[in-house]
Amino acid sequence: TVAKRLGKVFKAIGVLPTDKVIVKKREDLLDSYANSAGKNMRQAVEDAMGGILFIDEAYTLLPTQGR
């Protein structure tokens, strides 16, 4: 909700050309194929160009330490 509202505000004040918001989850960026994360992330960034890329629960992309 916040990302969608920010998209509208940023477009209204001229920071972004569109108010589109692309939402991706961890599962959208990481899959079972080796070396696909970079390709998936690149595609997500390209899809969001001119708008906002929101990665839901982005903290889950970091490796856990001490577990």
Side-chain angles (χ1 to χ4, degrees):
T1 302
V2 173
K4 289 179 182 178
R5 296 229 173 138
L6 280 175
K8 291 182 187 305
V9 169
F10 288 163
K11 182 180 185 288
I13 63 173
V15 174
L16 293 174
T18 72
D19 63 351
K20 77 176 166 183
V21 177
I22 302 297
V23 178
K24 296 291 182 178
K25 297 179 183 176
R26 179 183 193 277
E27 298 82 27
D28 298 330
L29 301 173
L30 304 176
D31 59 28
S32 60
Y33 297 105
N35 300 321
S36 63
K39 177 184 168 197
N40 293 343
M41 180 60 81
R42 225 177 348 269
Q43 186 62 51
V45 170
E46 288 177 16
D47 291 346
M49 289 301 281
I52 293 177
L53 173 60
F54 179 78
I55 302 174
D56 192 21
E57 298 184 11
Y59 65 89
T60 62
L61 295 172
L62 296 174
T64 56
Q65 295 181 2
R67 292 185 189 178

